[in-house]
Amino acid sequence: MADAAKTPPKVVVVGSLVFDLVARVDRRPGKGETRLGTDFGMFPGGKGANQAVQAARFCADVTMVGQVGDDFFGREMIKSLHDHYVDTRFVHTDPSTTTAVGCITVDETGDNSIVVVPQANMKFMPAQAENALNSLLLPHTLLLQLEIPLETNIKAAVTARSKGWPVILNPAPAQPLPDQLLRYVDYLTPNEIELGAITGSKPTSLAEYARAAGELLSYGIKGVIVTLGEQGAMLVTEDESTLFPAFHVAVVDTTAAGDAFTGTFSVAMAEGKPLHEAIVLANAAGALAATRSGAQPSLADRDSIEKLAVDAKAPRSII
């Protein structure tokens, strides 16, 4: 279990804050179709804020860097971060825009479709990220995603590297990435769709995932961890391609499972845990998030994650 005597690792998240509007339905509607939903909820979300909250719930000292609008959703986003003990002094409120909103449809299997209207997130400029990171004097692990401008992510990664900080990038939502970002990344955590978008390929098997991920190591990336849903997660480094089986849970809503994975992974790595152990813990966090509705409300605490991680199946090599 967590050791309260240890100094918490420091994680800084530069990324998005999105307020989620979630509708549950028996199946997602097709083109031109209207369906009656079974439930509706409003939850603080956004990949950046979700990962910040998960890192805090896994006992890190977390700072969030980003932007919201001067509106109800923005105030609720900041309140949620405060409630989870995330430092929000670098979350800027921009009165000229509105807070980002996510429209999420979840079917009875727990799968989802998401439309994000980015608003304030896409007005978060490189200089804002640079100034925030340079204001942090102690070493941090930097965690990034792709719901803010690429230029801002690049500036954040360059700034962190200049300070000697490790950089973890969750490359979501899926898109091609420029060399000037990838070469500053230490660990990359794509899912299979995001991996294909980055590499320009369409991998469909474990061996193909491993080959595609291996191509990215040429940028100096230390490890690519491909999240594969019910198959688990695959680690690809210069020395290995290893599959870590998923935990079998009753899936309710997969909305923040990837964020739970990356948020937990970032803390475990910041603590200096072995890479394999960090992935097992991250797998457990992702599994637990899928058992609950909503984004931030679904994120598990450290004790729950560590208890589930004990039951991890042995990883196996992929040839």
Side-chain angles (χ1 to χ4, degrees), residues 48-91:
N50 292 346
Q51 291 173 25
V53 168
Q54 181 64 84
R57 299 215 74 195
F58 203 65
C59 300
D61 181 354
V62 183
T63 300
M64 181 75 210
V65 181
Q67 184 162 267
V68 296
D70 186 11
D71 51 29
F72 168 80
F73 291 151
R75 290 186 287 275
E76 287 296 305
M77 290 297 312
I78 292 174
K79 180 181 182 299
S80 178
L81 292 169
H82 278 161
D83 289 347
H84 290 93
Y85 305 101
V86 174
D87 183 349
T88 61
R89 64 188 142 139
F90 300 114
V91 177

Side-chain angles (χ1 to χ4, degrees), residues 109-160:
T109 71
D111 286 335
N112 61 61
S113 298
I114 305 175
V115 175
V116 175
V117 186
Q119 306 287 28
N121 288 330
M122 296 309 291
K123 293 187 175 183
F124 187 63
M125 294 294 100
Q128 293 174 272
E130 181 182 23
N131 292 339
L133 295 183
N134 282 332
S135 297
L136 298 172
L137 301 181
L138 296 175
H140 285 64
T141 293
L142 174 64
L143 183 51
L144 301 171
Q145 320 78 34
L146 300 178
E147 290 181 330
I148 60 175
L150 272 177
E151 295 80 6
T152 303
N153 273 320
I154 293 169
K155 178 62 73 173
V158 170
T159 303

Side-chain angles (χ1 to χ4, degrees), residues 172-191:
Q175 59 187 277
L177 292 179
D179 295 358
Q180 59 262 46
L181 177 57
L182 288 170
R183 68 188 183 202
Y184 290 103
V185 172
D186 292 287
Y187 292 96
L188 192 71
T189 62
N191 64 21

Side-chain angles (χ1 to χ4, degrees), residues 225-229 231-235 242-246 261 279 283:
I225 303 95
V226 187
T227 56
L228 298 169
Q231 293 187 79
M234 178 186 294
L235 168 65
T242 304
L243 180 68
F244 295 76
F261 183 101
I279 294 171
N283 251 353

Side-chain angles (χ1 to χ4, degrees), residues 28-44:
R28 286 170 285 177
K31 181 179 179 181
E33 181 184 10
T34 299
R35 296 197 65 77
L36 294 178
T38 58
D39 194 16
F40 175 77
M42 300 194 302
F43 309 98

